[in-house]
Every structure is written in C-alpha cells, then in structure tokens.
Amino acid sequence: MTTIGLIGSGNIGSTVARLAVDAGHDVVLSNSRGPETLTDLVDQLGPRARAATAAEAAAAGDIVVVTVPLKAYREVPVEPLRGTVVIDTNNYYPERDGHIAELDDESTTTSELLQAHLPESRVVKAFNNVYVSHLGSLQRPAGHPERSVLAIAGDDAAAKQTVTEFLDSIGYDAYDVGPLAEGWRFQRDTAAYVRPYAVPGTEYPSWPGRQVTAEVLEEQLDAAVRYRDV
C-alpha cells in the first residue's frame, strides 16, 4: 500500500492518518515539536504508524499531506518533496496567520502559495472544506449509497488522479473543481466550506455530519461563483 507522510499531526492530520491506517496504508507523522511528542498518537494508530521529523516524513511519503497553520507554510521542507504529490489542507485565518497581502487582495490562493514554495512538487488542495469530526465519520465504502464527495483542485492531472485514488481508499469520492486557482471556491467563508457536511439546523461544535453528494457540492461551489460575481 501507499505510504502517507504527514507534515502536521493536529486535528486534520491525525484524522487523515487514522483513515489511512484503517485503509491499510502506512503513515509517517511529524509536527513542529518533534517525534517524541507523537508517541501517544502513534501508539493509538498501531504498527502501520511511526513518528519522524518533517523532512523524514516528506521523504518517506508517496503522498505527503501538509496540514500546518498557513503562517508556517514556508517552513515546509522543499528538497525532499521534489516530484511528490502534496495534499494541501490549508485555510487562511488572518487572526491566526497575520495578514497576507496576496490573499487579502485575492490575487492568489492558499494552495498557490504552497505550490510557489514547492515549485517541483505537485500540489493538490483537499480536506480543507470539511470539519474534522465529519471527515472522520462520513467515510463509506465504494458504492455505498451514503458515500460523500470531497472537493479537490490542482494543476497536475496525474497528481489529482493519485489523490482521487487515495480518497477512494479512505472512503470518499473526489469532486474535481479544476486548477489550484479555483480553490477559492471551497475556501473559508464560501457556501462550500464546512456547512454542506453539517445537518441543517445544528451548530458547531456538536453538529452531526450528513452525506454530501456531487450534486449538492456542485450547487454550493456554483453559489460561490455567483456571490463573487455580484
């Protein structure tokens, strides 16, 4: 099976790691505090998981998930990720990340920033528009009538196919939104961000999850375009 490297092992990273291990993948986890701080998580995940430095996780992964606060994206190691498929889960929170002029004026997107930092990697945006508890509970086998879709965006067709196959293995279909530049359509504060996966009328943080079909997600993605064009 595929080895998944994780740069960042917080809520999203640990959830993706659990889904990957459950699907039979190996995972190599890292964070900014050092491998020794990941002992409990590795023990929970079992023999398919190990902890490492960020550079080691980057080098080990057939696919590498970058799931760090956006303000830290320049700390992602470049050299070991050359040629690698990188999944970017980032969202922009100015109150956490500080203001980034290119994002404030909408001249680029979060995943395009990471792609510029990793010019020889193949970045695909995913996992950023679903709440972590929903990501960890809505997975279903292929063909299941309640299977959900997750949005992806990327500039490399082969990389998107690789990510689509990974999502399939962990219980989700992929909905291809287009190139990285279209990633804004499912970023924070759009109709496609988080809410589609929550049962209507319920509120964060206890809101239960619900299935999101391709048709539902497409409607929300189109709503983002309509709103922007107003």
Side-chain angles (χ1 to χ4, degrees), residues 42-102:
V42 168
D43 288 346
Q44 292 169 20
L45 292 171
R48 287 192 175 276
R50 66 181 176 91
T53 66
E56 290 166 344
D62 300 304
I63 300 171
V64 174
V65 181
V66 172
T67 181
V68 299
L70 182 61
K71 63 183 178 182
Y73 82 90
R74 292 185 181 88
E75 299 171 21
V76 174
V78 176
E79 185 60 36
L81 289 173
R82 294 185 189 280
T84 301
V85 175
V86 173
I87 298 177
D88 174 40
T89 77
N90 263 317
N91 287 298
Y92 175 41
Y93 298 91
E95 64 273 21
R96 178 197 66 186
D97 302 314
H99 281 279
I100 300 172
E102 311 95 287

Side-chain angles (χ1 to χ4, degrees), residues 69-212:
L70 182 61
K71 63 183 178 182
Y73 82 90
R74 292 185 181 88
E75 299 171 21
V76 174
V78 176
E79 185 60 36
L81 289 173
R82 294 185 189 280
T84 301
V85 175
V86 173
I87 298 177
D88 174 40
T89 77
N90 263 317
N91 287 298
Y92 175 41
Y93 298 91
E95 64 273 21
R96 178 197 66 186
D97 302 314
H99 281 279
I100 300 172
E102 311 95 287
L103 299 178
D104 289 340
D105 68 15
E106 300 183 342
S107 60
T108 192
T109 63
T110 56
S111 294
E112 287 176 293
L113 284 180
L114 183 63
Q115 181 67 83
H117 174 67
L118 302 172
E120 295 184 41
S121 302
R122 297 178 291 157
V123 174
V124 177
K125 186 179 188 70
F127 296 126
N128 71 293
N129 74 315
V130 59
Y131 186 57
V132 63
S133 67
H134 300 156
L135 176 63
S137 62
L138 293 176
Q139 72 275 18
R140 300 289 187 275
H144 193 285
E146 294 180 3
R147 185 144 150 136
S148 289
V149 298
L150 296 175
I152 66 170
D155 296 336
D156 185 291
K160 287 195 284 189
Q161 181 59 35
T162 296
V163 172
T164 295
E165 292 168 3
F166 173 58
L167 292 183
D168 177 55
S169 75
I170 66 172
Y172 290 95
D173 291 333
Y175 186 98
D176 188 353
V177 179
L180 286 179
E182 290 297 300
W184 69 269
R185 294 172 63 192
F186 54 103
Q187 67 187 11
R188 181 189 180 188
D189 295 332
T190 63
Y193 179 73
V194 176
R195 275 287 180 185
Y197 298 90
V199 172
T202 62
E203 294 297 329
Y204 169 87
S206 59
W207 47 11
R210 64 166 179 169
Q211 178 189 23
V212 173

